[in-house]
Amino acid sequence: MTSSIVTCLTWVGRGVAKSVPDKVQVDKEELKRLIKETSSSLKELEEEEKDVDQEEDVEMEGGATEMEGGATGGGDADDELAEFDLDNYDDDPEGSLLGNLASLTVYASNEDDPYITVKDDDEVAEDEREDFTIKPTDNLVIVGRAEEDCSILEVYIYNEEEKVQYVHHDLLLPAFPLALEWMNFDPGEDKPGNLVAIGSVTPGIDIWDLDVVDSLEPIVTLGSHKKKSTKKKKKASAPPRVGHTDAVLDLSWNRLVRNILASGSADHTVALWDLSQAKPVTTLTQHSDKVQTLEWHPFEAQSLLSGGFDKRALLYDCRSPEDTHKTWGLSGEVERVVWNQFSPFHFLASTEDGFVYNMDIRTDKPVFTLSAHPQAVTGLSLSSAVPGCLVTTSSDKMLKVWDIQDNKPALLLQREMKMGGLTCAQCCPDSPFVFAMGGEKDSLRVWDVMDSGNTALRTRFEGRPRPEIPTQPSSVVTSSDQPEM
């Protein structure tokens, strides 16, 4: 059985996606360009690994020499393998890769394909069209999945009314995904888009258009996917590096200043990117270890929260982040931070030793400390509309639902989800009791916690007033409005 793990996920609200997504059609020139770029990237990677391979070869030479002296009877095996011409196995055959790929014709439907003699009947075709169409009542769940031999981005349809969930489309990713962030700022368009930014084990951040199916490449890449070399190179003419130098562990889009994206990295820094120019305008270096999690304040455009492996949570005023930031020390490496949208002075932070902290930014000590799980709290999500409803998930395989209203946390429900260790959790933006979670096995799970039949949940939450969450008009700023790096 192939192992598969969901490493990250995010929701897309109802009515955002195109009802009928576009399909990519690649002409010969575009295909030629993509092959050339891919070949160039592969060549660069080969050059990076060349030194390592040479060192391994030197180490193996001594052992190989000894083996040659004592080996006998190898001639017959060599003769048997000769017919495969393994020495020239990697050489290009006649004809180019471009010609081979370009000759693969893709038809819009089986009806148009002359090589398929058994055509789809009308009922099957209608079902396919219906599944491909995204309804106004559909949510999307974007999922990053890693399997043994590939990494995949899956776009799920979830319809609460019809109790329907299925994969609408997917695409192959170039690297193991670690973070997803939905956003509607499209650098190439004047109107709002439907995009997802992806952080991975490489330093680059890819941005994909969710309204386009069968994409072959992201619409833009922030930074570079090449990690910083540990060896000094003689090339003095190399351009200065832009962005991170190690894996991107988390992403947060600023919904009030729509062209700003924050990224936290294993290189110990936080980068603030101007999406309109695809470059970082500020780099924050206050953390002394990997930056695992970060989130913009929902109502204050300048306030950014982050947490790291240095066991600290930091709050920045990004108008002058070097001079204006506050720090809280916690008991372990910080797994997640999340603002409480119902109480703007408060945020929650979870740690790898199982604790959840409720912090007031006006004080230095936590409002309360909750021993939530015996292992790392990997998922930390407040209900999108009901104050006090908190869901935590953990590598201990358990999901728990808490009531933290009035700063008096009470455990209402705990359940083993039978998904292995849980890796992430997030509440649906349109349904206050529906949560999506990922785990080490059994793919994605979307669950309405009210379906648990737990009486305490219904008693506490169903009649609780749901205050209107304040909003501010969003804007776009230029890089000249941002502090210099």
Side-chain angles (χ1 to χ4, degrees):
M1 180 178 176
T2 303
S3 62
S4 173
I5 179 173
V6 171
T7 57
C8 47
L9 60 83
T10 190
W11 287 86
V12 179
R14 296 171 187 163
V16 172
K18 278 187 178 181
S19 59
V20 180
D22 300 326
K23 287 190 175 182
V24 171
Q25 294 183 349
V26 182
D27 57 27
K28 191 171 182 178
E29 290 302 317
E30 179 70 5
L31 186 61
K32 184 177 180 180
R33 181 186 66 81
L34 289 170
I35 293 172
K36 184 177 179 181
E37 290 180 357
T38 303
S39 300
S40 177
S41 298
L42 289 173
K43 186 176 180 181
E44 290 177 356
L45 289 173
E46 288 175 359
E47 290 177 353
E48 289 179 2
E49 296 173 356
K50 189 175 181 181
D51 292 339
V52 176
D53 293 338
Q54 288 176 346
E55 291 175 3
E56 292 177 351
D57 290 341
V58 170
E59 291 175 359
M60 293 175 63
E61 278 181 6
T65 304
E66 293 176 4
M67 290 175 63
E68 287 174 5
T72 59
D76 293 340
D78 291 341
D79 293 338
E80 292 176 3
L81 293 174
E83 64 176 296
F84 296 104
D85 192 21
L86 296 180
D87 291 337
N88 300 313
Y89 183 80
D90 291 326
D91 292 348
D92 270 343
E94 292 184 6
S96 68
L97 178 62
L98 173 61
N100 294 334
L101 288 178
S103 64
L104 296 177
T105 305
V106 179
Y107 294 92
S109 70
N110 289 347
E111 292 294 327
D112 301 326
D113 193 335
Y115 297 100
I116 296 180
T117 56
V118 180
K119 305 297 183 180
D120 293 336
D121 59 35
D122 292 340
E123 184 176 348
V124 171
E126 179 60 30
D127 288 343
E128 289 180 350
R129 280 193 293 270
E130 183 178 351
D131 288 344
F132 189 73
T133 302
I134 300 175
K135 302 175 183 177
T137 54
D138 287 340
N139 284 104
L140 302 185
V141 188
I142 317 303
V143 174
R145 179 195 301 282
E147 298 184 351
E148 287 182 350
D149 54 353
C150 65
S151 296
I152 305 170
L153 185 76
E154 295 176 328
V155 179
Y156 282 80
I157 294 289
Y158 175 75
N159 190 293
E160 184 182 16
E161 295 177 1
E162 301 175 8
K163 302 297 182 185
V164 170
Q165 176 185 324
Y166 61 90
V167 176
H168 183 271
H169 64 277
D170 57 21
L171 55 91
L172 287 174
L173 298 177
F176 191 103
L178 298 175
L180 299 176
E181 180 74 347
W182 178 84
M183 57 188 188
N184 71 11
F185 181 81
D186 188 337
E189 299 288 341
D190 294 331
K191 59 183 180 180
N194 180 25
L195 311 174
V196 65
I198 305 176
S200 70
V201 294
T202 69
I205 302 168
D206 288 332
I207 298 177
W208 295 81
D209 191 337
L210 295 173
D211 286 335
V212 178
V213 176
D214 299 331
S215 296
L216 298 179
E217 61 179 348
I219 62 171
V220 67
T221 296
L222 305 179
S224 169
H225 283 297
K226 292 176 62 179
K227 290 190 177 183
K228 185 177 180 180
S229 176
T230 56
K231 295 188 176 183
K232 294 182 179 179
K233 295 191 177 182
K234 296 180 180 179
K235 297 179 181 179
S237 59
R241 186 179 185 87
V242 175
H244 293 296
T245 60
D246 207 337
V248 176
L249 305 182
D250 202 14
L251 299 163
S252 183
W253 173 57
N254 194 321
R255 285 165 168 74
L256 303 177
V257 185
R258 294 175 46 248
N259 60 312
I260 299 298
L261 177 74
S263 57
S265 172
D267 66 9
H268 306 181
T269 69
V270 173
L272 306 185
W273 299 84
D274 182 353
L275 297 173
S276 61
Q277 299 188 42
K279 68 178 185 180
V281 292
T282 305
T283 300
L284 310 178
T285 59
Q286 283 80 359
H287 279 285
S288 59
D289 207 334
K290 299 175 183 178
V291 183
Q292 170 92 331
T293 176
L294 73 172
E295 185 170 277
W296 287 103
H297 196 284
F299 316 123
E300 297 178 0
Q302 76 282 0
S303 297
L304 177 67
L305 187 64
S306 68
F309 278 36
D310 55 5
K311 303 182 181 181
R312 295 189 300 157
L314 272 69
L315 173 62
Y316 311 88
D317 182 336
C318 291
R319 294 170 296 189
S320 56
E322 296 294 335
D323 303 324
T324 313
H325 63 274
K326 186 170 183 177
T327 303
W328 294 267
L330 305 180
S331 62
E333 296 173 0
V334 184
E335 293 282 341
R336 306 284 179 186
V337 292
V338 59
W339 287 101
N340 187 342
Q341 69 268 35
F342 305 106
S343 182
F345 289 111
H346 293 83
F347 71 88
L348 298 170
S350 68
T351 58
E352 49 88 22
D353 55 356
F355 287 94
V356 173
Y357 295 83
N358 183 13
M359 311 296 296
D360 187 327
I361 63 174
R362 297 165 295 186
T363 63
D364 296 326
K365 295 182 178 181
V367 177
F368 67 73
T369 302
L370 176 63
S371 181
H373 294 266
Q375 297 180 27
V377 181
T378 56
L380 187 69
S381 183
L382 288 162
S383 168
S384 56
V386 177
C389 179
L390 171 68
V391 165
T392 61
T393 59
S394 171
S395 52
D396 68 2
K397 308 179 183 180
M398 301 294 292
L399 173 143
K400 296 184 179 183
V401 183
W402 309 80
D403 184 3
I404 62 169
Q405 189 77 330
D406 300 323
N407 299 321
K408 298 176 181 178
L411 177 61
L412 305 181
L413 172 69
Q414 58 180 336
R415 176 168 295 187
E416 181 176 348
M417 302 307 295
K418 301 187 185 303
M419 300 169 62
L422 300 178
T423 58
C424 51
Q426 193 175 109
C427 184
C428 175
D430 301 298
S431 300
F433 301 115
V434 174
F435 291 81
M437 67 209 77
E440 294 174 346
K441 61 180 182 179
D442 196 28
S443 183
L444 168 75
R445 185 80 58 85
V446 179
W447 188 45
D448 187 334
V449 296
M450 287 300 181
D451 290 342
S452 65
N454 186 289
T455 306
L457 282 177
R458 295 190 177 278
T459 302
R460 287 194 178 234
F461 293 139
E462 278 195 332
R464 183 167 292 178
R466 303 183 183 184
E468 288 189 14
I469 299 176
T471 58
Q472 291 184 9
S474 60
S475 62
V476 174
V477 299
T478 63
S479 57
S480 60
D481 299 319
Q482 301 295 324
E484 295 295 329
M485 288 188 286

